[in-house]
Amino acid sequence: MKVLVTGTAGFIGYHLAKCLLERGDEVVGIDNINDYYDVNLKYGRLAETGINEADVEYGKTVRSAKYSNYQFVRLDLTDYDKMKNIFKICHFDAVCNLAAQAGVRYSITHPRAYIDSNIVGFLNVLECCRTHRIKHLVYASSSSVYGLNKSMPFSSCHQANHPVSLYAATKKSNELMAHTYSHLFNLPTTGLRFFTVYGPWGRPDMAPFLFTKAILEHKHIDVFNNGAMKRDFTYIDDIVDGIVRVIDDPAKVDTLWDGLDPDPSTSNVPYRVFNLGRGESVDLLKFIAEIEKNLGELAVKNYMPMQNGDVEETWADISSMREMLAYNPKTSVADGVRDFVSWYMTFYKVANNRQDVLGRHLA
């Protein structure tokens, strides 16, 4: 296939593009490379796929030096004219939209960034897909859409109408916008509610990265809700496996869908929403303990109250992904944290004095 992947300088987008390239698909990547976090990490990911930072200019197509089937364009989704031109030239079979303004807490202080990227940008993606009759649009939603929902595990069949952050509200809006285009234009769309993705090349604003960095620098880590937090931590390889399975299986009409008892995860048009997680809720303190074990050093924990926009627990019901697409996440938290810490130590060239520190602190 020829696939457009937006957000390929980002964490999930980089891993997805690499997976598609290695199985032989032709990929065009888009990213605006904004400064929400360290752009050196973003350019590092691009370099891993053969895109040289010195060659990257806004609106310019760069061919990969590593993959003959990869091209990258620095571009913002809000630039509708250039978006239309790329769709016109490239004739994509499928689109996977992972580009977005991320971060729950950041959305409290920078709300307009979320409207521009996650609403206006997504509308442009939908319009381009409609115009060029794309066979399948897959897009990133988020577990944050469940908001105040307390029913565990979270099911895509549950209503998700009470978000607690603007970020979550924009992701729920994406699902509603996608359904509208599926209904009006018969555009097959699938939304994926990601659950706390982590792993090598992860985002610096996420807990695994923040904790690892702080522990190595002998600084305290902020532990919210006094540590009474649980997350469905999902390793990046399992996430990418799920995305690829979805891309390969375009959304179809649910012939059993009932408007008198509507299932929000399907419809009488080609529309679906899936949870994409590991299917297990893990205590935050246990996750931190795995990081401590791999670093050989105990964290200094600064216990704090719950932050606005956060929720106490996430836990994905992934039964529909298992049944429909044979999705089976394989990576344990122990293995995933080990691989993340190993990558972090290598990428940032941190000396690991594990045995010495273990002897002093963990004996």
Side-chain angles (χ1 to χ4, degrees), residues 4-80:
L4 171 67
V5 180
T6 72
T8 49
F11 173 34
I12 302 175
Y14 153 70
H15 282 280
L16 175 63
K18 189 174 179 182
C19 178
L20 293 174
L21 290 166
E22 289 178 352
R23 76 169 191 171
D25 290 323
E26 186 175 353
V27 177
V28 175
I30 287 177
D31 201 294
N32 67 0
I33 317 181
N34 66 23
D35 60 358
Y36 170 61
Y37 60 79
D38 184 12
V39 297
N40 292 314
L41 181 58
K42 298 182 179 184
Y43 280 116
R45 296 179 186 128
L46 288 174
E48 288 291 303
T49 52
I51 304 298
N52 188 345
E53 177 181 353
D55 297 330
V56 175
E57 299 176 12
Y58 188 83
K60 173 187 173 183
T61 299
V62 180
R63 284 200 170 271
S64 169
K66 184 174 182 180
Y67 297 99
S68 61
N69 49 339
Y70 186 41
Q71 299 177 75
F72 174 79
V73 185
R74 182 173 184 177
L75 188 63
D76 198 294
L77 296 187
T78 60
D79 192 337
Y80 187 40

Side-chain angles (χ1 to χ4, degrees), residues 262-274:
D263 178 351
S265 69
T266 65
S267 184
N268 60 355
V269 296
Y271 168 88
R272 295 181 308 197
V273 173
F274 287 120

Side-chain angles (χ1 to χ4, degrees), residues 102-143:
V104 168
R105 293 164 192 157
Y106 191 75
S107 70
I108 297 171
T109 55
H110 298 78
R112 292 188 183 279
Y114 292 78
I115 300 303
D116 291 342
S117 180
N118 301 4
I119 301 298
V120 177
F122 188 61
L123 174 62
N124 289 344
V125 171
L126 285 168
E127 275 292 287
C128 289
C129 288
R130 172 186 71 84
T131 302
H132 294 276
R133 304 187 67 82
I134 298 302
K135 298 173 185 175
H136 194 195
L137 167 61
V138 179
Y139 61 94
S141 185
S142 168
S143 62

Side-chain angles (χ1 to χ4, degrees), residues 63-342:
R63 284 200 170 271
S64 169
K66 184 174 182 180
Y67 297 99
S68 61
N69 49 339
Y70 186 41
Q71 299 177 75
F72 174 79
V73 185
R74 182 173 184 177
L75 188 63
D76 198 294
L77 296 187
T78 60
D79 192 337
Y80 187 40
D81 288 339
K82 284 189 170 57
M83 286 284 292
K84 287 192 296 184
N85 192 51
I86 286 178
F87 272 78
K88 181 178 179 180
I89 292 171
C90 291
H91 306 290
F92 300 113
D93 297 301
V95 173
C96 186
N97 183 55
L98 301 174
Q101 180 57 60
V104 168
R105 293 164 192 157
Y106 191 75
S107 70
I108 297 171
T109 55
H110 298 78
R112 292 188 183 279
Y114 292 78
I115 300 303
D116 291 342
S117 180
N118 301 4
I119 301 298
V120 177
F122 188 61
L123 174 62
N124 289 344
V125 171
L126 285 168
E127 275 292 287
C128 289
C129 288
R130 172 186 71 84
T131 302
H132 294 276
R133 304 187 67 82
I134 298 302
K135 298 173 185 175
H136 194 195
L137 167 61
V138 179
Y139 61 94
S141 185
S142 168
S143 62
S144 66
V145 301
Y146 290 106
L148 295 178
N149 188 347
K150 297 292 185 182
S151 180
M152 296 286 171
F154 292 147
S155 170
S156 55
C157 298
H158 294 163
Q159 297 295 331
N161 297 322
H162 297 88
V164 294
S165 69
L166 184 64
Y167 169 71
T170 63
K171 288 300 185 179
K172 177 63 176 178
S173 298
N174 287 170
E175 296 177 5
L176 299 174
M177 294 163 73
H179 184 270
T180 302
Y181 273 67
S182 294
H183 174 73
L184 292 175
F185 307 113
N186 203 39
L187 172 66
T189 66
T190 303
L192 298 175
R193 293 174 176 171
F194 295 138
F195 280 72
T196 317
V197 189
Y198 74 101
W201 297 98
R203 283 183 11 221
D205 62 324
M206 297 293 285
F209 200 111
L210 291 170
F211 293 160
T212 300
K213 183 175 187 292
I215 293 170
L216 286 170
E217 294 176 354
H218 308 291
K219 298 177 181 177
H220 73 259
I221 63 173
D222 292 332
V223 182
F224 295 102
N225 201 34
N226 298 307
M229 303 276 278
K230 291 185 175 183
R231 290 290 182 268
D232 193 334
F233 291 101
T234 313
Y235 190 67
I236 183 62
D237 289 359
D238 291 324
I239 288 289
V240 168
D241 175 63
I243 297 172
V244 171
R245 289 173 186 272
V246 168
I247 290 173
D248 290 346
D249 188 50
K252 303 174 183 65
V253 171
D254 180 357
T255 57
L256 301 178
W257 193 83
D258 183 358
L260 295 176
D261 184 22
D263 178 351
S265 69
T266 65
S267 184
N268 60 355
V269 296
Y271 168 88
R272 295 181 308 197
V273 173
F274 287 120
N275 285 336
L276 200 50
R278 187 165 182 270
E280 179 182 343
S281 194
V282 177
D283 288 331
L284 180 61
L285 293 177
K286 289 183 178 179
F287 191 86
I288 294 171
E290 286 293 334
I291 297 176
E292 291 173 325
K293 182 174 73 174
N294 281 274
L295 292 176
E297 186 165 352
L298 292 175
V300 179
K301 302 176 183 69
N302 178 36
Y303 290 99
M304 300 178 68
M306 178 73 82
Q307 277 211 330
N308 283 335
D310 259 350
V311 295
E312 291 183 12
E313 182 177 6
T314 64
W315 178 11
D317 177 347
I318 57 174
S319 57
S320 58
M321 278 288 294
R322 289 187 188 276
E323 293 165 7
M324 296 177 64
L325 299 174
Y327 173 66
N328 183 31
K330 298 179 176 62
T331 310
S332 68
V333 167
D335 289 344
V337 170
R338 180 200 63 209
D339 290 349
F340 169 75
V341 170
S342 176

